[in-house]
Amino acid sequence: MNAALFMEWATLIALVMLALALALSVVRIVLGPSLPDRVLALDLLTVVAMGFIGTIAIRTGFWLYVDIAIALALLGFLATVALARYIMLRRDTARDGEGP
C-alpha cells in the first residue's frame, strides 16, 4: 500500500464518519428537547462541517477549502454567541414576567 492509496482510504473513511456525525447532529437539532440543546447541536453541526470541508481539502488538494472552513468557523462562533445571548435574554424576560 502506497501513501496515496492510504491517504485516499483514510479520507474516505473520515468523510463517511463525518457524514454520519452530520446526520446525527441534524437529528439532534430536529428532536432536541430544548432550545439550548438545539443550539449545541447547531454548534456541533458547524464543527463537523468544518471537518468535512477540511477533509475534502486534503482529499482534493485545493487549499481554498481551508479558507472556507475558517470562514465557516467564524460564522458558527458568531451564531452560537448570538443564540446564547438570545437564550439569556429570553430567560431574563421570562423571569421578570413571573414576578408579582
Side-chain angles (χ1 to χ4, degrees), residues 6-75:
F6 176 76
M7 183 64 76
E8 185 174 326
W9 275 101
T11 55
L12 182 65
I13 291 170
L15 285 174
V16 168
M17 292 174 72
L18 287 169
L20 181 64
L22 276 173
L24 290 175
S25 63
V26 168
V27 168
R28 185 64 174 178
I29 289 172
V30 171
L31 298 177
S34 66
L35 185 59
D37 292 332
R38 290 186 171 119
V39 171
L40 281 176
L42 184 65
D43 194 35
L44 175 67
L45 182 79
T46 305
V47 170
V48 172
M50 286 180 347
F52 201 86
I53 292 171
T55 305
I56 289 175
I58 292 171
R59 188 174 174 90
T60 61
F62 292 124
W63 296 104
L64 176 65
Y65 289 122
V66 175
D67 294 336
I68 294 170
I70 291 170
L72 183 63
L74 179 63
L75 186 66

